Amino acid sequence: MTITDIAKHVGMTNMTVSRALNKPDKVKPKTREKILAAARELGYVPNAFASHLRSRKNRLIGLVTASVDNPFYSEVIKAISRAAKEHDYTIMLIDTDGSPELEEVAIETLLSYQVAGIILSPVSDAAGYRPAYLDRLRATQLPVVMLDRTLNVPDFSRVVLDNHRAGRLLGELLVKEDIRQVLVLTGPRESRITQHRLAGLKEAYDAVGVPLTLEQRPGDYTLQPAYREMADYLRQDMLPEAVFGFNQLITLGAMRALHDAHIGRADVFVVGVDRLPYADIFDVSVPCAGHDTYRAGHEAFRLLFEQIKDPTAAGREVVISATLIH
């Protein structure tokens, strides 16, 4: 249904109908009520995008994430959504499901909607990852903030986790627990997040001169690959002193594999990055290096909003520190 359909229905001009819908104070009450009643009857819904094109003012922000089923991003999205509402913005969320092709489509879609800005968590933070859309974003000069995973470029503001500190904190805990052998379930080897967390872990042992036997099994920050790697390790009749999961889904995958192999939690010390969601309900306590994910989302929106208000503002970086939760 369009304004033209309503105008034909009530026998009035398009201009009169448009005024009744958009500037009701400029139309006689009787006329206005007749038009609004017809709009309800016909199921008319305003075209927000067309309205934006007319006004040249968009209240839409794009949010691109590689995995909405990751508990980390669930909290981040909640924070961004709430902050956007406070400033009268609406979020358009696109989940790329870890696909570079879908990420390319997501960026093109958001640019076609002429969004006010984009918060982006790319599918990869590998140093060599250079998506084709990067030049498009630079050319449009659209406000962009990268979150958690970042492209290895100097452009754009970013909100990142202190991944080195997260690895160091858990490494120090493992040293205190007198653990010398660790199975590390990580993201991709080329991921800079993986590399920084791994470096922090090793540094904790090097700092006190304690030897560490470490085996790394890379995955993709999701549950199933971590489950398969943990199960494969156990099938070789090996049992590590400790398992270190590099995010919540990896830790959960490892714990499921241990459970399926009938290995009790007292037999293997499990640690991970960030809290396990709702674990306390089941009396499960896993030591972790936790980040304030809600703050990460809030800061991402704040940086984006600053650039929307002032396109000349210099890019900035906000680092979310890690805290040991034991």
Side-chain angles (χ1 to χ4, degrees), residues 71-236:
F72 172 87
Y73 288 113
S74 298
E75 283 295 310
V76 165
I77 292 167
K78 184 191 301 181
I80 293 172
S81 179
R82 288 179 178 174
K85 288 175 185 175
E86 290 175 6
H87 292 84
D88 196 28
Y89 280 85
T90 300
I91 296 296
M92 177 181 280
L93 172 64
I94 303 180
D95 178 15
T96 62
D97 202 23
S99 165
E101 293 77 20
L102 290 179
E103 183 173 88
E104 185 80 29
V105 172
I107 297 299
E108 290 297 327
T109 299
L110 294 175
L111 291 177
S112 73
Y113 272 88
Q114 300 181 24
V115 294
I118 296 175
I119 297 175
L120 168 66
S121 184
V123 300
S124 173
D125 70 323
Y129 181 55
R130 288 289 192 281
Y133 63 74
L134 188 56
D135 290 336
R136 285 265 288 150
L137 286 179
R138 286 169 171 158
T140 61
Q141 298 184 333
L142 186 72
V144 175
V145 174
M146 291 185 289
L147 174 62
D148 183 32
R149 301 178 190 179
T150 61
L151 300 173
N152 190 29
V153 295
D155 326 46
F156 316 126
S157 291
R158 61 198 65 209
V159 177
V160 296
L161 308 182
D162 191 341
N163 295 296
H164 186 277
R165 176 174 169 78
R168 176 73 186 247
L169 287 173
L170 289 172
E172 291 172 350
L173 173 62
L174 293 172
V175 169
K176 288 180 182 178
E177 294 289 334
D178 198 31
I179 287 171
R180 303 289 183 268
Q181 185 213 4
V182 182
L183 173 63
V184 186
L185 301 174
T186 73
R189 289 187 188 275
E190 64 274 14
S191 162
R192 285 173 292 135
I193 292 174
T194 289
Q195 293 165 1
H196 293 165
R197 290 176 181 175
L198 202 56
L201 168 63
K202 293 176 179 177
E203 185 182 274
Y205 279 82
D206 291 341
V208 292
V210 174
L212 170 64
T213 300
L214 182 148
E215 178 169 348
Q216 179 185 358
R217 295 284 185 107
D220 63 357
Y221 293 117
T222 60
L223 190 148
Q224 279 306 123
Y227 176 86
R228 289 195 299 268
E229 291 295 336
M230 185 78 247
D232 178 68
Y233 186 91
L234 296 173
R235 278 194 296 270
Q236 299 174 37

Side-chain angles (χ1 to χ4, degrees), residues 10-77:
V10 296
M12 300 180 190
T13 65
N14 287 11
M15 183 177 294
T16 301
V17 173
S18 179
R19 283 179 178 171
L21 295 173
N22 300 303
K23 298 178 181 179
D25 56 306
K26 296 186 179 296
V27 179
K28 294 178 181 179
K30 185 177 180 180
T31 301
R32 182 176 66 240
E33 287 307 314
K34 183 177 181 180
I35 291 171
L36 292 179
R40 288 192 294 270
E41 179 186 342
L42 297 173
Y44 171 76
V45 177
N47 187 328
F49 185 54
S51 175
H52 147 64
L53 291 176
R54 288 191 298 271
S55 67
R56 295 296 176 188
K57 186 177 182 181
N58 201 343
R59 312 297 296 186
L60 191 63
I61 287 175
L63 175 54
V64 181
T65 175
S67 177
V68 294
D69 60 347
N70 187 326
F72 172 87
Y73 288 113
S74 298
E75 283 295 310
V76 165
I77 292 167

Side-chain angles (χ1 to χ4, degrees), residues 216-277:
Q216 179 185 358
R217 295 284 185 107
D220 63 357
Y221 293 117
T222 60
L223 190 148
Q224 279 306 123
Y227 176 86
R228 289 195 299 268
E229 291 295 336
M230 185 78 247
D232 178 68
Y233 186 91
L234 296 173
R235 278 194 296 270
Q236 299 174 37
D237 292 327
M238 296 189 293
L239 192 64
E241 292 181 61
V243 175
F244 185 164
F246 267 33
N247 77 351
Q248 296 137 306
L249 293 177
I250 290 175
T251 304
L252 287 169
M255 293 176 67
R256 177 183 287 179
L258 289 167
H259 175 270
D260 290 353
H262 307 291
I263 296 173
R265 295 185 60 245
D267 299 319
V268 178
F269 191 61
V270 178
V271 299
V273 175
D274 286 323
R275 291 175 180 268
L276 297 184

